Amino acid sequence: MAKVAFLGLGVMGYPMAGHLATRGNHDVTVYNRTTAKAEKWAKEFGAAFAPTPQKAVQDCDVVFCCVGNDDDLRGVTTGDNGAFEGMKAGAVFVDHTTASSEVAQELAQEAEARGFSFLDAPVSGGQAGAENGVLTVMVGGNETAYERALPIMECFSKKVGLMGPSGAGQQTKMVNQVCIAGLLQGLSEGIHFAEKAGLDVEKVIEAISGGAAQSWQMENRWKTMHANEYEHGFAVDWMRKDLKICLKTADEIGARLPVTALVDQFYAEVQAMGGGRWDTSSLLARMKKADS
């Protein structure tokens, strides 16, 4: 059992922190910007909450964080009453936010100067993965710190890997999002084509899903896409935030992402339709709207 903290109790952080308390039986203290949610979590899991990040992390061996973006991350770490003011020497700070590699490297350097370690560790698997404790975690940072945090991360994960130095975890998550964007657009076009051709979509998917076209998105999303149901999974607003990071980084390193840039604009059209909170598979809704 370790003394740990979790900062940020959104749709991902709330269940992830819960697994630390239940599966790991760790001594958990949580912090959330909205105190009522932290109080609710503490009551549900019989644990503690703190009024500031600084107080939440005191005497903790490992601290976890999952917030919205770079600015949120800086606020909870180096802002007023931030976690970095309360971290003990030799501790490990594990950030599960999907953020830029620049902020990861910046905070890793700041942590090292203060005598503790920082790991950038974005996750894949969505809300369902967090709730079921089967996330994939992509980690960047020091190997010794990674080995210390690994057994605790496994409380809410099915797969955890060290990708390289600070920033490598975030860059790996960017690859993940680039691949998902292209897959979903291809799946949307395939279903759209089948529908326009008058084919039985279920039979089509059954025929092709056992071969090279198969993907997690096809297996888990084709039915809801065909039924125009998009009220689940990872929201378009968050995907656009992630793709903005991907495209900015691509410009900086000289990578060419023409399909990703195009799909990002398609998601902008979905937002304009009022679908910012729809699941990312809603790319098909944009195509159907063009037919109406």
Side-chain angles (χ1 to χ4, degrees):
M1 186 180 77
K3 183 172 175 55
V4 303
F6 204 106
L7 314 177
L9 300 175
V11 296
M12 302 292 288
Y14 195 102
M16 291 167 74
H19 290 307
L20 292 175
T22 55
R23 288 185 179 178
N25 196 33
H26 296 297
D27 179 3
V28 186
T29 300
V30 299
Y31 164 80
N32 193 66
R33 186 165 49 189
T34 304
T35 305
K37 183 173 282 190
E39 291 176 337
K40 176 186 176 185
W41 186 95
K43 182 177 180 181
E44 180 178 347
F45 292 98
F49 72 95
T52 67
Q54 181 179 1
K55 290 187 179 298
V57 307
Q58 289 178 352
D59 298 319
C60 286
D61 304 300
V62 181
V63 175
F64 298 91
C65 177
C66 189
V67 292
N69 54 38
D70 285 21
D71 291 339
D72 294 332
L73 180 56
R74 288 190 178 98
V76 82
T77 53
T78 58
D80 294 340
N81 298 308
F84 279 20
E85 292 297 327
M87 296 286 292
K88 72 177 184 180
V92 181
F93 190 102
V94 184
D95 176 42
H96 294 300
T97 308
T98 297
S100 69
S101 55
E102 287 83 3
V103 75
Q105 293 163 347
E106 168 193 321
L107 293 177
Q109 291 173 2
E110 179 66 22
E112 183 178 3
R114 292 173 181 258
F116 61 93
S117 299
F118 179 95
L119 300 174
D120 53 290
V123 301
S124 178
Q127 184 176 347
E131 291 172 349
N132 295 319
V134 291
L135 293 169
T136 296
V137 188
M138 300 150 271
V139 186
N142 176 273
E143 185 173 0
T144 300
Y146 168 78
E147 293 294 343
R148 287 186 58 201
L150 176 59
I152 308 177
M153 286 190 281
E154 288 176 336
C155 291
F156 46 73
S157 309
K158 68 174 181 180
K159 187 174 184 180
V160 187
L162 181 63
M163 300 293 105
S166 294
Q170 294 295 352
Q171 290 174 339
T172 302
K173 178 61 183 288
M174 294 176 206
V175 174
N176 185 78
Q177 302 305 74
V178 166
C179 292
I180 288 174
L183 282 170
L184 282 170
Q185 179 60 23
L187 180 57
S188 297
E189 292 183 14
I191 294 173
H192 175 70
F193 182 95
E195 291 173 343
K196 297 293 282 185
L199 297 171
D200 183 319
V201 177
E202 182 172 3
K203 289 182 178 180
V204 170
I205 296 297
E206 183 180 358
I208 69 174
S209 61
Q214 191 276 338
S215 69
W216 185 96
Q217 300 293 342
M218 178 179 289
E219 182 178 344
N220 292 275
R221 291 288 180 259
W222 82 263
K223 287 184 179 179
T224 51
M225 291 169 71
H226 184 46
N228 299 315
E229 297 173 358
Y230 305 114
E231 303 299 329
H232 57 273
F234 189 64
V236 168
D237 286 343
W238 290 109
M239 185 59 153
R240 286 215 72 205
K241 184 266 290 186
D242 291 357
L243 293 182
K244 180 179 179 181
I245 295 172
C246 295
L247 293 167
K248 179 177 180 294
T249 303
D251 284 342
E252 293 168 351
I253 65 176
R256 296 183 297 278
L257 305 179
V259 173
T260 303
L262 184 60
V263 175
D264 180 54
Q265 291 308 302
F266 291 164
Y267 278 128
E269 293 180 28
V270 174
Q271 287 177 316
M273 293 166 55
R277 299 303 302 171
W278 291 349
D279 178 77
T280 48
S281 62
S282 57
L283 287 167
L284 181 58
R286 167 191 162 271
M287 303 178 75
K288 291 185 175 182
K289 183 175 185 291
D291 289 337
S292 61

